Amino acid sequence: MGFLSFNEKYYARKLDEYEGKALADAQIYEAKQLLKVLDDLSDEGYTALSERLENKFHCVTRLKAVLERYDETPFDVPKAICPPAYDRQEKELGDFLSELTVSLPDPARGKGSDLLFDIVEYSRFLRREKDEAYVFLLRDCLLPYLRFAKDGKEGLYAYPIGRAFLRDISGEKNFDDIIRLPIYLAAEEGICDFAQFKEFFVRETKKTLRAYSRVKDTLARLLDGIPFDKVTVVESGYCGTVPMLLAAIDGRVDFKMYTTAPFFVDVYKDRIFCKRYERLRLFETLYSQDALFEYAAFREGKFYVRTTEDKRVFDGAKDEIAFVTGTEL
């Protein structure tokens, strides 16, 4: 049970549905998105799922055939940014973010795109209440964070809680996979109601965290340091692994995501800004949100990063930041 078995059953069922009748535009769009999910995973190096599904029932071949039947082509896979060189010297994350917010680029420098307009709209979607703190997960949500930080709003936190950080504090190379498992187990059981979905995840995650007390204690201390009644975690999207993990540790936590995969839309519903899954990799591979800096360490309650030495990446990031921070909400 889990990631592979859920996807195997889901894709097999969807292919039977697509191949058995004439499709409406919404179903064709969904088929394109499901193929994009597999293409994105493969592009990130996770080829096992596509290979398994292709070997078992020719999944990728059949999805492409469905699209060809309606004269549709797969969504493009964006070219990943070549990993840049990073400064060997570590910089405290708070200092680095302060530098970015103090010396924001000239708004006229920024050039818009559909995706950057989306990020501005996503920032509008993230309207905060007075008693609500926002935790932006970096690197993927740097631009929304800077959009808010530009206006000097209180209650904003930026934490690079991702794969590298979780690997660091857990000692497990694939700790994010361990934490993600209950999401797919719940999906495999057909749980769509979010309250039930969360209850299942919290129960299973608390069992896991008994063996990883450092992870639980570290994240609990970070959250305890946020003096607000509500804590909303802001994430790019897909599975919602880290937001769900934080919600399992602190009952104040809820979250919002830019988008998610088609098979999680009914679970996350109003927690997602849009259903345009095909833009997720574009969102996550912007210069500023993919290559401007990388996680280096977590010491004495502070995050440390290494920043890029690549002028092309730095200049590209500055253009993205200029547009998003220079556009009025």
Side-chain angles (χ1 to χ4, degrees):
M1 294 180 68
F3 173 73
L4 291 174
S5 56
F6 164 76
N7 278 284
E8 185 176 325
K9 293 172 186 175
Y10 185 89
Y11 275 86
R13 185 173 74 252
K14 281 296 180 180
L15 279 167
D16 288 343
E17 176 186 319
Y18 297 152
E19 295 172 337
K21 62 181 180 182
L23 300 184
D25 289 346
Q27 291 171 303
I28 299 168
Y29 178 54
E30 181 186 61
K32 288 184 68 169
Q33 287 187 316
L34 289 177
L35 180 57
K36 185 70 162 65
V37 170
L38 298 179
D39 286 343
D40 285 348
L41 287 170
S42 295
D43 186 56
E44 291 185 80
Y46 301 115
T47 60
L49 179 60
S50 290
E51 292 170 356
R52 178 185 176 115
L53 300 187
E54 184 67 16
N55 291 336
K56 285 219 166 189
F57 50 88
H58 307 294
C59 179
V60 174
T61 300
R62 290 166 64 191
L63 275 174
K64 289 180 177 178
V66 168
L67 299 184
E68 288 173 4
R69 197 168 85 225
Y70 293 93
D71 295 322
E72 292 283 347
T73 56
F75 288 117
D76 291 335
V77 177
K79 292 183 179 179
I81 300 170
C82 293
Y86 290 101
D87 192 332
R88 291 185 180 182
Q89 184 175 357
E90 295 177 3
K91 182 177 292 188
E92 200 269 308
L93 175 63
D95 293 340
F96 174 61
L97 294 177
S98 294
E99 291 173 12
L100 288 179
T101 52
V102 167
S103 58
L104 288 171
D106 180 353
R109 171 177 174 169
K111 296 179 180 179
S113 67
D114 287 347
L115 179 60
L116 292 178
F117 275 109
D118 252 12
I119 291 175
V120 173
E121 289 299 317
Y122 182 39
S123 299
R124 292 192 177 106
F125 172 74
L126 300 173
R127 290 294 184 186
R128 294 171 55 229
E129 299 175 13
K130 290 182 180 179
D131 61 346
E132 184 180 20
Y134 267 19
V135 175
F136 294 82
L137 296 182
L138 306 184
R139 298 175 295 184
D140 295 347
C141 280
L142 177 68
L143 289 175
Y145 168 76
L146 293 177
R147 172 62 260 185
F148 276 83
K150 174 196 176 216
D151 297 331
K153 293 179 171 30
E154 295 182 356
L156 303 180
Y157 301 82
Y159 295 154
I161 303 174
R163 190 177 300 126
F165 169 77
L166 292 174
R167 181 173 60 240
D168 184 17
I169 64 170
S170 70
E172 292 281 354
K173 180 180 179 181
N174 296 314
F175 186 74
D176 57 318
D177 290 337
I178 295 172
I179 289 297
R180 189 177 298 114
L181 177 60
I183 291 176
Y184 283 99
L185 293 176
E188 194 166 9
E189 290 196 11
I191 302 174
C192 289
D193 175 74
F194 179 75
Q196 295 177 10
F197 195 89
K198 179 181 176 182
E199 181 182 2
F200 181 99
F201 180 89
V202 170
R203 182 174 66 249
E204 296 302 312
T205 299
K206 284 185 175 180
K207 295 176 188 176
T208 299
L209 291 177
R210 289 173 192 156
Y212 296 96
S213 59
R214 187 185 177 203
V215 174
K216 180 181 178 181
D217 293 345
T218 299
L219 295 177
R221 280 194 296 271
L222 283 171
L223 293 167
D224 286 345
I226 301 175
F228 285 77
D229 294 337
K230 299 177 183 178
V231 178
T232 296
V233 176
V234 181
E235 143 91 292
S236 56
Y238 190 9
C239 293
T241 307
V242 173
M244 290 288 284
L245 170 61
L246 297 177
I249 292 172
D250 190 320
R252 297 174 298 158
V253 172
D254 205 338
F255 58 92
K256 293 179 180 177
M257 303 192 295
Y258 172 71
T259 192
T260 190
F263 36 80
F264 290 129
V265 167
D266 288 341
V267 175
Y268 293 134
K269 291 182 179 176
D270 56 357
R271 288 172 174 80
I272 60 172
F273 164 67
C274 69
K275 299 178 182 179
R276 293 188 285 271
Y277 168 81
E278 65 277 8
R279 290 188 178 178
L280 180 60
R281 281 285 284 157
L282 291 170
F283 187 107
E284 295 177 342
T285 55
L286 290 164
Y287 285 111
S288 52
Q289 300 188 152
D290 186 36
L292 182 59
F293 65 94
E294 67 174 1
Y295 169 82
F298 182 77
R299 295 190 299 272
E300 299 179 355
K302 293 184 178 181
F303 293 98
Y304 292 85
V305 298
R306 298 185 187 92
T307 58
T308 184
E309 295 180 328
D310 188 322
K311 186 177 184 301
R312 176 182 59 97
V313 170
F314 186 79
D315 288 345
K318 282 291 188 180
D319 285 344
E320 294 162 359
I321 294 169
F323 180 81
V324 172
T325 58
T327 304
E328 294 299 322
L329 292 183

